[in-house]
Amino acid sequence: MFSRRRQSQNPQDIDSAEPEAKVSELRAEIGPLSGRSSKFGTDACLRRYLVARNWNVDKAKKMLQETLKWRAAYKPEEIRWNEVAHEGETGKASRANFHDLCGRTVLIMRPGKQNTSSGEGNVRHLVYLLENSILNLGEGQEQMTWLIDFTGWTLNTNISIKTIRDIIYIFQNHYPERLAISIMYDPPKFFESIWKAIRYFLDPRTTQKLKFIYPNNKESLEFMKSSFDVENLPTEFGGKATLPYDHEEFSRLMAQDDVKTARFWGLDDQRPCKITNGAFQG
């Protein structure tokens, strides 16, 4: 299940007309979709699965069918903030209130603020944030940027390898081509041993999107300046902004987004609610 996939490093180029033909072919192969699956399976969605499988329709079909099966069982669009708010109390993962210079949604992760030991809880919290980040993508945007701050991270605050594997599996297989770049900011030296284990489960396309950044490195600093408005970027990432995580304020934002999510998916979920201790109470 978690074996590393090998992909061609030199996929054949396809002319400008073929991508749309491939999308049409994939849609014919998967057949009619209904309900939430039809809302999920847009042409843009099919195109992402094709890209993830180097435009191989059969492989893209298998991947998409597995995702549709997973979404029907896991129901990520039904997860609400009150179910995962306790996982986010320390701000270990949150959607930023700024975008990168390409206009992409930014998801900030702070593994040093890990606060629970529940593997499923961590996975469910991240899935919620992935769905929320996608909901908040700007017009014409399909991908997000991850900023991972290793401040305070130790082996004691690290989640289990199994949980990391589960997260990688879900993200690579059910959210293909949603990641533009993941910035690994100032990882400690001992991260190298864990990185070797993690890298084994990453496919080449994902590995190419990881960028290691070090604050005392000139090239790293230039990269950050070319990727973000330093006036909005938090100081922990080399910017000038002071943006401490406010759990109650973030919970209010997520409560509002939960209503948007329900509306988008056509769910009857518009219940009276209030915020109590940073949690959305229905």
Side-chain angles (χ1 to χ4, degrees):
M1 178 178 180
F2 296 108
S3 60
R4 187 180 181 181
R5 292 191 304 272
R6 296 187 179 274
Q7 295 183 335
S8 170
Q9 297 300 297
N10 297 294
Q12 290 185 336
D13 293 333
I14 53 179
D15 62 45
S16 59
E18 192 169 352
E20 296 311 311
K22 291 280 188 179
V23 170
S24 297
E25 184 181 349
L26 177 57
R27 186 167 296 284
E29 285 289 326
I30 62 174
L33 297 176
S34 60
R36 299 180 203 174
S37 292
S38 64
K39 200 165 187 66
F40 175 78
T42 63
D43 283 355
C45 172
L46 269 59
R47 194 175 296 110
R48 287 192 298 273
Y49 279 77
L50 284 162
V51 170
R53 289 296 178 263
N54 292 328
W55 298 95
N56 183 302
V57 173
D58 289 338
K59 291 181 179 180
K61 174 187 175 183
K62 180 180 179 182
M63 186 185 194
L64 179 56
Q65 287 177 330
E66 289 174 351
T67 292
L68 293 174
K69 182 178 179 180
W70 173 78
R71 292 188 69 90
Y74 200 86
K75 295 180 172 56
E77 72 281 1
E78 291 187 13
I79 302 173
R80 295 295 174 262
W81 179 245
N82 67 304
E83 301 171 37
V84 297
H86 63 285
E87 291 284 349
E89 288 178 353
T90 60
K92 67 185 179 187
S94 62
R95 178 168 58 81
N97 64 352
F98 60 90
H99 295 79
D100 67 12
L101 290 181
C102 292
R104 294 183 290 239
T105 297
V106 176
L107 192 60
I108 296 179
M109 301 181 191
R110 300 180 175 91
K113 295 183 179 294
Q114 178 61 34
N115 62 325
T116 70
S117 58
S118 169
E120 175 55 29
N122 277 280
V123 171
R124 197 166 178 81
H125 178 232
L126 185 57
V127 167
Y128 172 88
L129 290 174
L130 290 175
E131 293 283 320
N132 179 267
S133 295
I134 292 169
L135 177 73
N136 284 281
L137 287 172
E139 185 177 355
Q141 293 288 348
E142 295 188 45
Q143 296 182 312
M144 65 188 80
T145 292
W146 289 4
L147 272 174
I148 304 179
D149 173 23
F150 282 89
T151 301
W153 181 78
T154 68
L155 291 177
N156 291 330
T157 58
N158 190 43
I159 58 178
S160 70
I161 291 296
K162 180 184 182 303
T163 300
I164 293 173
R165 286 169 55 185
D166 290 346
I167 289 172
I168 290 173
Y169 180 84
I170 288 174
F171 187 68
Q172 289 189 156
N173 289 279
H174 303 316
Y175 296 90
E177 296 304 307
R178 283 302 194 181
L179 180 65
I181 188 169
S182 177
I183 296 173
M184 317 286 279
Y185 197 86
D186 201 20
K189 184 70 174 178
F190 60 82
F191 177 73
E192 292 180 6
S193 59
I194 296 178
W195 167 239
K196 290 178 181 178
I198 295 174
R199 187 169 183 171
Y200 179 80
F201 302 107
L202 295 174
D203 66 34
R205 294 188 68 88
T206 302
T207 302
Q208 292 170 6
K209 296 177 181 180
L210 269 59
K211 179 76 172 179
F212 288 85
I213 296 294
Y214 299 93
N216 296 322
N217 180 280
K218 182 178 179 180
E219 182 181 342
S220 290
L221 294 177
E222 290 301 318
F223 177 84
M224 294 300 286
K225 289 180 181 179
S226 68
S227 301
F228 301 93
D229 181 344
V230 295
E231 297 296 330
N232 297 327
L233 190 66
T235 54
E236 56 264 38
F237 295 106
K240 298 180 180 180
T242 301
L243 299 171
Y245 176 73
D246 185 326
H247 187 57
E248 185 164 342
E249 181 59 33
F250 189 72
S251 293
R252 292 182 189 279
L253 178 63
M254 294 301 98
Q256 295 170 5
D257 279 358
D258 281 349
V259 175
K260 288 165 54 179
T261 298
R263 187 179 298 122
F264 176 82
W265 291 103
L267 303 173
D268 182 19
D269 194 37
Q270 309 210 11
R271 306 179 295 268
C273 62
K274 63 180 180 178
I275 302 295
T276 303
N277 295 327
F280 172 34
Q281 304 293 323

